[in-house]
Amino acid sequence: MNQGSLKEKKELFEKQAFPLMPMLYRTALRLTRNQADAEDLVQNTFLRAFNFYDKFTQGTSFKAWIFKVMTNIFINEYRKQSKDPQKVPLEDYLMGTPDPEHLFFENLVDEDIKRAIEELPDQYRLTFLLYTEGFSYKEIASITEANLGTVMSRLHRARRLLQEKLYNLKKREVQVSEL
């Protein structure tokens, strides 16, 4: 590839990818449940997506394509790592105070709801998170490589699980407050 076409590829990729960075990061943070891993996942997504950008069909949904790239990376790499014990960097332990970006994301969603979402099984959590990012059922099916019926079923099950968890939590809170 010559310099001119590489520069054009880079400019076109950046024009399509950079506006999606906050959405990708938000989803990566929810998938990995860890700020550093989320940053790594987004960085790896951008790197891999750029390397395979010539495989992207212009005129189709770039957003769905790059989320599929991120989803594949997460499934192939980060889920394996999640089975290892969680490691806390020494500087995070010693400093003790989260950075402002971390605080911003922590306060976006009520802690109980956030915890309930994080406790969903991976396949339900991924489907639910993609749906909350505005993807259609068809786009979610493409990203997760599941059929449309499976996506609908997973989303229904995720909502049901969230409803049960939150209902039971509130029920326990009411019982404790009555004591």
Side-chain angles (χ1 to χ4, degrees), residues 14-155:
E14 288 175 354
K15 182 180 175 186
Q16 290 180 302
F18 284 3
L20 299 173
M21 190 179 292
M23 187 184 300
L24 285 164
Y25 179 72
R26 231 182 2 256
T27 303
L29 190 58
R30 292 271 161 63
L31 287 173
T32 63
R33 302 179 184 125
N34 176 293
Q35 184 178 355
D37 288 343
E39 291 168 357
D40 289 346
L41 178 55
V42 171
Q43 182 177 13
N44 289 340
T45 299
F46 271 71
L47 182 62
R48 190 159 305 159
F50 181 74
N51 287 336
F52 291 98
Y53 189 58
D54 55 325
K55 306 284 187 214
F56 170 68
T57 306
Q58 294 295 334
T60 61
S61 174
F62 181 80
K63 179 179 163 186
W65 180 77
I66 199 165
F67 267 83
K68 183 172 181 67
V69 170
M70 184 173 75
T71 301
N72 288 340
I73 293 169
F74 173 73
I75 289 169
N76 294 333
E77 296 176 16
Y78 290 89
R79 225 160 86 198
K80 290 178 206 168
Q81 293 176 4
S82 71
K83 295 186 184 344
D84 293 337
Q86 187 174 7
K87 299 171 184 117
V88 177
L90 181 60
E91 59 273 7
D92 289 354
Y93 178 76
L94 294 175
M95 290 175 60
T97 52
D99 67 323
E101 186 177 53
H102 179 74
L103 290 173
F104 173 76
F105 284 108
E106 286 294 307
N107 293 321
L108 275 179
V109 180
D110 180 70
E111 193 61 38
D112 294 332
I113 296 171
K114 185 176 163 206
R115 189 176 308 111
I117 292 170
E118 289 176 353
E119 290 174 359
L120 288 172
D122 286 347
Q123 61 189 3
Y124 301 136
R125 184 166 36 93
L126 176 60
T127 301
F128 183 80
L129 291 172
L130 291 172
Y131 180 76
T132 61
E133 288 295 346
F135 286 101
S136 68
Y137 290 166
K138 188 176 178 181
E139 290 172 320
I140 296 170
S142 173
I143 292 168
T144 61
E145 298 180 352
N147 67 46
L148 198 56
T150 301
V151 168
M152 293 167 63
S153 174
R154 287 178 182 171
L155 187 56

